[in-house]
Amino acid sequence: MRESVAVLDFGSQYAQLITRRIRECGVYSEILPHTISAHDLAALAPKAVVLSGGPASVMEAEHPSIDSELLSSGIPILGICYGHQLMAHALGGSLLRGSNREYGPAAIHIKGTTPLFSGLGGTTDVWMSHGDHVVVPPPGFEIIAYTSSCPVAAMADHARNLYGVQFHPEVIHTPQGMKMINNFLTSVAGCTGGWSMAGFIQESIDAIRSEVKGSRVICGLSGGVDSAVVAALLNEAIGDRMTAIFVDNGLLRSGEVDEIRNIFTRLYPLNLDVVHAQDLFIDQLRGITDPEDKRKIIGKVFIDVFNNEAARIGGAEFLAQGTLYPDIIESRSAKGGPSATIKSHHNVGGLPKDITFKLIEPLKELFKDEVRLLGQELGLPETIVDRQPFPGPGLAVRIIGEVTRENLAILQEADQRVQEEISACNEILDIWQAFAVLLPVKSVGVMGDERTYANVIAIRAVSSLDGMTADWVKLPYDLLGRISSRIINEVAGVNRVVYDISSKPPSTIEWE
């Protein structure tokens, strides 16, 4: 059984980042709801538990809490921000309600010797984001770090392996944060590391073979890295008993069908079927403008197509898809935690409730950058591994408003110019994703000395590590100028181009 660390979610925007940092230390970690019982958590046998931050206050009567038995279970625990305050409150410490939030950099002064801060010296910079703070630690705890404004920046009960920090070690603004997390994992929790993509591959192959046995599997292949890695894993596990289904739903980028067919018949051959279903999808989307409705309709139509293909193939009881951890987090609110549902991904919250397939989702524990590493281990071509993410619902969620054939044609041509110009740019650009969006407004323009009233295209380019957070890319002005000029001059029906300069959060990467 692999060693793991549980992150209990109290609604922190950083809960996923804590999980990522732990995995970067070679230890598997996953997010669990803070309401999990001590008994159920013990059954999972985690090596340690991390209590995340969160927006609530422990000074409130109905604050989010944990099973009190967890703190006496003997499992090493690290509380971060709200988790630190909750631990202090539950065990008899004193807190002070902050009249002002402390948000930004601070220098902590380390007291005494503690394994949590081993190798850090006497002072180190951290990132604070809190209102309340602990003023007197609980009985049995000692203060192991303080700042000029926070008397208990960190505390520890070394005998019970309970630790709390008021700051956020998981963010890059705490330069030695990874060292602190690794110290907790190794020196406190006794983790040995060793969780890797190579080990994950064999674990996944064994699990697939055990679950599928002699049945056949159809794999929804979108052409992106997620579904391609799933198809490759299945290919390794069960060979041609897996049929990869690529659905031409009419919502794809220009030339994508031919590109995918070439990659998976020549560069990385799979048992591939291409299903042409443009009319089916576009007809079902007629008159639909709400993005959640779009996603759910697309999810249902995909299942209808897969049902037809399963009947044609015969014996296909399982459907495999490239669901990732962020998909589940955004669609289902972090396994029941208090975080808000952001949007329904078509392959998670968008699936119909009466689905008859048994689902295989071998990547549902991974983040995007981990999937890319997995693709490299499996030998997938770079054209797939390094491919920009593309939403499962396709261009339907990049057309704000109704999806029509006319709108699709405009967006496909505009997006093609974006991809061509960025690919031709000689400058090194840190781009996770770049694309065009068709807005639901028209603007007045002048073209050929005549008044026009035409569509507006927004350009979006972001940098990111795993898709959970993202920042807009400062594209060179001349590049933006070329993109704008080509779209306006070459794409009929467009007379204005704008650039999206919002980050995630507060925005999402996709507009819908």
Side-chain angles (χ1 to χ4, degrees):
M1 187 175 182
R2 68 185 177 194
E3 60 183 14
S4 67
V5 172
V7 176
L8 301 194
D9 178 19
F10 291 93
S12 171
Q13 61 178 313
Y14 297 134
Q16 297 83 23
L17 191 54
I18 297 169
T19 305
R20 284 287 297 112
R21 295 293 181 252
I22 294 170
R23 292 186 186 188
E24 287 170 11
C25 293
V27 180
Y28 176 72
S29 176
E30 67 174 306
I31 298 172
L32 297 173
H34 69 88
T35 52
I36 189 171
S37 70
H39 177 269
D40 289 345
L41 186 62
L44 300 175
K47 295 282 287 185
V49 172
V50 176
L51 309 180
S52 83
S57 168
V58 298
M59 314 289 277
E60 298 169 352
E62 300 298 323
H63 65 272
S65 192
I66 55 172
D67 186 335
S68 59
E69 292 183 11
L70 178 60
L71 295 173
S72 59
S73 65
I75 301 173
I77 298 175
L78 173 63
I80 295 175
C81 197
Y82 179 85
H84 162 76
Q85 297 163 10
L86 179 65
M87 186 185 299
H89 178 75
L91 295 174
S94 298
L95 288 87
L96 185 65
R97 188 152 204 166
S99 55
N100 296 304
R101 289 184 61 84
E102 183 180 17
Y103 184 83
I108 62 167
H109 303 281
I110 297 170
K111 294 181 62 177
T113 302
T114 174
L116 189 65
F117 297 144
S118 177
L120 297 184
T123 304
T124 189
D125 294 332
V126 299
W127 185 262
M128 292 283 192
S129 178
H130 68 98
D132 303 343
H133 61 272
V134 180
V135 291
V136 179
F141 282 77
E142 62 181 276
I143 298 172
I144 57 174
Y146 64 93
T147 74
S148 58
S149 60
C150 186
V152 189
M155 63 183 188
D157 183 331
H158 295 107
R160 290 186 289 176
N161 281 334
L162 301 178
Y163 294 79
V165 295
Q166 183 57 74
F167 54 88
H168 289 273
E170 71 274 18
V171 303
I172 60 172
H173 307 294
T174 301
Q176 297 296 322
M178 279 293 290
K179 175 69 173 172
M180 298 175 193
I181 292 171
N182 193 62
N183 281 344
F184 174 72
L185 295 173
T186 57
S187 300
V188 177
C191 295
T192 58
W195 187 73
S196 66
M197 287 300 103
F200 183 86
I201 289 173
Q202 191 56 53
E203 186 179 302
S204 299
I205 288 173
D206 292 343
I208 290 168
R209 287 173 177 166
S210 175
E211 183 174 8
V212 172
K213 297 183 174 62
S215 298
R216 298 187 64 86
V217 179
I218 60 174
C219 176
L221 181 67
S222 70
V225 64
D226 307 333
S227 61
V229 167
V230 171
L233 275 173
L234 285 160
N235 193 51
E236 292 283 333
I238 61 173
D240 62 7
R241 284 193 290 121
M242 180 275 297
T243 302
I245 308 292
F246 179 72
V247 180
D248 178 7
N249 58 11
L251 308 173
L252 304 173
R253 290 167 289 199
S254 179
E256 192 151 16
V257 177
D258 291 337
E259 181 184 2
I260 296 305
R261 183 185 284 111
N262 178 64
I263 289 172
F264 291 107
T265 58
R266 297 183 181 180
L267 296 180
Y268 195 90
L270 292 173
N271 185 18
L272 175 69
D273 279 353
V274 177
V275 178
H276 298 284
Q278 295 185 14
D279 292 344
L280 187 60
F281 280 84
I282 296 172
D283 288 348
Q284 288 293 314
L285 289 168
R286 184 178 294 116
I288 304 299
T289 59
D290 183 86
E292 283 292 287
D293 290 343
K294 288 182 189 178
R295 290 175 179 272
K296 287 179 169 58
I297 288 170
I298 290 167
K300 181 183 183 303
V301 178
F302 265 118
I303 294 301
D304 291 342
V305 172
F306 293 144
N307 278 328
N308 292 337
E309 289 302 298
R312 181 184 62 79
I313 294 167
E317 300 177 26
F318 294 86
L319 169 65
Q321 53 183 14
T323 304
L324 301 190
Y325 206 26
D327 297 339
I328 292 174
I329 291 167
E330 290 191 337
S331 294
R332 296 181 179 167
S333 183
K335 295 191 176 180
S339 303
T341 297
I342 307 302
K343 57 190 174 185
S344 298
H345 288 260
H346 80 287
N347 57 339
V348 184
L351 289 177
K353 294 180 180 180
D354 59 350
I355 183 172
T356 57
F357 289 108
K358 300 172 186 176
L359 293 180
I360 296 178
E361 298 173 312
L363 309 184
K364 65 183 179 181
E365 299 174 339
L366 301 185
F367 291 91
K368 177 71 78 171
D369 56 320
E370 294 173 317
V371 174
R372 294 194 193 281
L373 293 173
L374 189 56
Q376 291 173 356
E377 288 278 346
L378 288 164
L380 283 167
E382 289 185 7
T383 51
I384 287 295
V385 172
D386 296 332
R387 206 164 194 240
Q388 287 188 18
F390 185 66
L395 299 181
V397 291
R398 293 179 180 174
I399 294 174
I400 314 304
E402 183 180 5
V403 177
T404 66
R405 285 177 171 79
E406 178 186 6
N407 286 342
L408 279 166
I410 290 171
L411 185 56
Q412 284 173 333
E413 290 195 36
D415 190 74
Q416 182 179 356
R417 273 68 180 176
V418 174
Q419 307 308 325
E420 288 173 352
E421 288 301 323
I422 287 178
S423 296
C425 182
N426 293 324
E427 297 187 42
I428 297 175
L429 303 172
D430 181 19
I431 292 179
W432 160 274
Q433 208 169 349
F435 53 90
V437 179
L438 180 61
L439 302 187
V441 295
K442 292 188 176 183
S443 71
V444 173
V446 179
M447 302 177 77
D449 294 328
E450 293 184 359
R451 179 187 184 276
T452 62
Y453 189 59
N455 294 288
V456 179
I457 290 287
I459 307 301
R460 180 87 159 128
V462 298
S463 60
S464 180
L465 176 64
D466 52 25
M468 294 306 302
T469 61
D471 196 9
W472 62 280
V473 177
K474 284 72 175 174
L475 292 180
Y477 288 160
D478 58 346
L479 174 58
L480 284 171
R482 288 195 300 273
I483 292 172
S484 176
S485 179
R486 285 198 60 193
I487 290 175
I488 291 172
N489 287 306
E490 299 174 18
V491 180
V494 177
N495 69 358
R496 191 178 300 270
V497 173
V498 298
Y499 190 51
D500 181 349
I501 58 170
S502 49
S503 299
K504 176 185 180 180
S507 303
T508 55
I509 294 177
E510 298 290 345
W511 278 49
E512 290 192 341

